[in-house]
Amino acid sequence: MEKRRYAVCGVSGRAIAMWLKPIYETFSNRAELVGMLDIDPMRFKICKQQLPGAENVPTYMPDEFDKMIEETRPDAVIVVSKDCFHAHYIVKSLEKNLDVITEKPMTTNWEDAIKVREAEKKSKGKVICTFNYRYNPQHRLIKELVLAGKVGRVTHVDLNWYIDIHHGASYFNRWNRMRENSGSLSIHKASHHFDLVNWWIGSPDPSQIHAFGALNHYGPEGPFNPSKKDGRHCTSCEERRNCAYKSRWETRATVAQIHDDHLDSFNEKLGVLYTPEIYRPDMCIFDSEINIQDTIVANVKYANNILLNYSANFSTPYEGYRLAINGTHGRIEAEEWGGAGSAAFPCPRSTDHYVDCYPIFGSRERISVKPGVGGHGGGDSGILEDVFMGVEEDRPYDILATSKDGLNAISIGDAVFKSITQGKIIDLTEVMKY
């Protein structure tokens, strides 16, 4: 079997763990890494330390994309850069008729998502948007139950998501806290959630969105801000012991490690995973430059009249979600609890994995779910197999997300942000034509 050749844009901690390590350790008979591009040369060094097989892989800076493609001749490009650069690398790859595997979100606004869709129509290449959370065993079961008609025709979905103080605060330490970098958490994080709903209910086009949001926990008005002062960094902050968010994870003798999944490099001098001159993931969560929301509620109407109620809160004591899917003949309920802070804040609810089905007339049916192995509840390993080995032919439903799936999820998230800031209902009819 001839190996498929891959180049990667963004040699982050996530890129190494999620994509490059599996290429060398799990799919080496099918995949070959031929080029790496990143803004920080230190990441190349660390990648090659962690993956000795990549020692001779050529490296390139951001302005050398064309050179990388010409010299390495990849079959596909894996895009794991900062969110706001996704569209650039996706479109350039499609223009060269290359396939693209892009981390979610595909882009940070619907305008760029439309550019991707248009470029794909002109290209021989295709886009895979890696919504890995679809592959979580519980989420696959929910999809199968809906397809089996357990609720009849879906009419309404209610999804409430809770992100704990450790996980939630981390977004505000990093580049995600700026709308221009991430599109806001209604895109960077919630596009995961919107895609799940879209997929569960059959991927109808969203049509109208109305949302409210606020910055309640972070920014200068955050109730646990030690003082209103910009420019602090967690690793050197003199007020760290007075910061409830940091002292919760530290003792007097230890300092919690600063970590960023998407833009890490190991700095030997500082002992932390970044190059301060290029980027710092230890920025203060109370800085005044933060321009996104940490509390979101949204109503979504789909073209087929299904309704969605959604909420997300990024500073809760424990982490998880509560879901209900209602239909003409029944209701599905599911919960999932855990998260980065679960050890410090044990969830008061059951951590068993199951899905409940309630027929309109009849008794509840509880279906237990065996948790998956690996990241995102087993979602990471599942999507890697489909990407590198091809989609299972006998699977009775589509699961690997396309650029249209990316557009739909991003459009909802972008409309949520725009509805919050503009104070009006956002219509997606024209966007959905793409």
Side-chain angles (χ1 to χ4, degrees):
M1 178 183 296
E2 186 176 350
K3 292 184 180 181
R4 192 162 166 81
R5 299 166 62 86
Y6 294 89
V8 63
C9 294
V11 187
S12 60
R14 177 161 180 81
I16 295 171
M18 176 69 184
W19 298 105
L20 306 188
K21 186 176 180 180
I23 285 177
Y24 285 99
E25 297 185 357
T26 309
F27 304 100
S28 59
N29 63 327
R30 295 174 175 268
E32 179 183 5
L33 180 65
V34 298
M36 297 188 289
L37 180 149
D38 199 281
I39 193 173
D40 186 354
M42 188 179 294
R43 294 179 196 136
F44 301 139
K45 175 182 177 181
I46 300 309
C47 177
K48 293 182 178 187
Q49 286 177 350
Q50 294 182 6
L51 303 174
E55 182 179 0
N56 296 319
V57 174
T59 61
Y60 301 86
M61 298 305 289
D63 61 350
E64 296 179 307
F65 178 85
D66 291 338
K67 180 181 178 183
M68 178 177 72
I69 301 305
E70 180 180 350
E71 292 182 351
T72 65
R73 297 176 292 103
D75 300 302
V77 176
I78 303 173
V79 178
V80 205
S81 60
K82 187 189 292 187
D83 294 355
C84 57
F85 298 129
H86 285 190
H88 173 73
Y89 293 121
I90 295 171
V91 170
K92 285 182 71 68
S93 299
L94 290 171
E95 289 174 346
K96 296 181 182 296
N97 293 311
L98 298 173
D99 290 333
V100 181
I101 298 100
T102 177
E103 276 286 352
K104 67 286 163 201
M106 185 174 75
T107 66
T108 56
N109 54 67
W110 75 52
E111 292 86 359
D112 281 345
I114 289 172
K115 292 177 183 177
V116 168
R117 291 284 291 162
E118 292 292 276
E120 187 179 34
K121 292 174 184 177
K122 301 174 184 177
S123 176
K124 295 179 181 178
K126 297 297 179 184
V127 176
I128 294 173
C129 191
T130 57
F131 282 119
N132 49 345
Y133 220 16
R134 291 183 178 193
Y135 287 78
N136 177 304
Q138 180 163 298
H139 301 159
R140 295 202 310 267
L141 174 61
I142 293 168
K143 174 70 173 179
E144 292 160 7
L145 292 172
V146 172
L147 287 174
K150 289 293 185 178
V151 299
R153 177 175 58 83
V154 177
T155 58
H156 168 245
V157 180
D158 188 21
L159 179 59
N160 310 110
W161 217 284
Y162 316 94
I163 298 90
D164 68 43
I165 62 170
H166 182 65
H167 186 187
S170 70
Y171 293 110
F172 294 85
N173 285 130
R174 311 186 313 230
W175 55 266
N176 314 77
R177 70 205 202 145
M178 303 297 291
R179 158 76 170 172
E180 51 268 36
N181 291 333
S182 65
S184 79
L185 291 174
S186 68
I187 292 180
H188 176 82
K189 183 64 176 176
S191 64
H192 252 317
H193 311 154
F194 296 135
D195 176 72
L196 277 177
V197 173
N198 295 346
W199 181 60
W200 284 329
I201 65 178
S203 301
D205 287 344
S207 61
Q208 291 183 307
I209 286 82
H210 186 218
F212 295 99
L215 187 63
N216 290 313
H217 305 285
Y218 310 106
E221 304 303 321
F224 295 99
N225 186 2
S227 65
K228 291 187 178 181
K229 184 189 304 181
D230 282 341
R232 292 169 291 188
H233 293 87
C234 297
T235 50
S236 58
C237 182
E238 296 179 356
E239 298 180 279
R240 187 171 62 231
R241 296 304 305 161
N242 296 323
C243 176
Y245 282 88
K246 288 303 170 187
S247 62
R248 182 67 182 85
W249 313 103
E250 300 175 1
T251 67
R252 291 176 63 192
T254 65
V255 175
Q257 184 181 28
I258 300 299
H259 176 72
D260 176 12
D261 286 342
H262 292 271
L263 283 173
D264 284 351
S265 284
F266 187 77
N267 187 303
E268 295 172 331
K269 181 179 179 180
L270 295 179
V272 291
L273 298 177
Y274 60 88
T275 301
E277 294 79 10
I278 296 176
Y279 166 71
R280 296 196 66 151
D282 67 334
M283 296 179 286
C284 181
I285 62 176
F286 300 115
D287 281 345
S288 61
E289 73 172 6
I290 294 169
N291 61 0
I292 62 172
Q293 302 85 27
D294 58 30
T295 310
I296 300 166
V297 296
N299 293 319
V300 180
K301 181 181 179 181
Y302 290 87
N304 61 357
N305 291 319
I306 294 176
L307 303 176
L308 164 66
N309 300 119
Y310 171 82
S311 69
N313 191 307
F314 286 83
S315 186
T316 54
Y318 50 84
E319 181 149 331
Y321 70 76
R322 186 182 289 109
L323 167 74
I325 300 177
N326 297 293
T328 55
H329 289 67
R331 173 181 172 94
I332 291 172
E333 291 185 357
E335 297 180 349
E336 186 176 81
W337 305 104
S342 59
F345 288 104
C347 179
R349 295 167 177 80
S350 172
T351 56
D352 294 336
H353 292 258
Y354 57 83
V355 177
D356 286 332
C357 294
Y358 295 86
I360 291 291
F361 303 104
S363 302
R364 181 190 71 182
E365 176 186 8
R366 173 161 289 182
I367 305 170
S368 296
V369 183
K370 182 180 179 180
V373 178
H376 292 90
D380 289 353
S381 58
I383 197 170
L384 285 171
E385 290 179 355
D386 272 7
V387 168
F388 290 121
M389 299 177 66
V391 175
E392 288 187 57
E393 294 182 0
D394 59 350
R395 187 184 287 129
Y397 51 84
D398 292 332
I399 189 171
L400 198 59
T402 66
S403 64
K404 182 62 165 70
D405 298 317
L407 170 67
N408 282 17
I410 289 159
S411 295
I412 296 175
D414 201 12
V416 166
F417 185 88
K418 289 172 179 174
S419 180
I420 291 170
T421 55
Q422 297 175 22
K424 65 181 183 180
I425 295 174
I426 304 297
D427 191 290
L428 292 177
T429 303
E430 292 301 314
V431 178
M432 289 299 104
K433 291 180 179 179
Y434 296 91

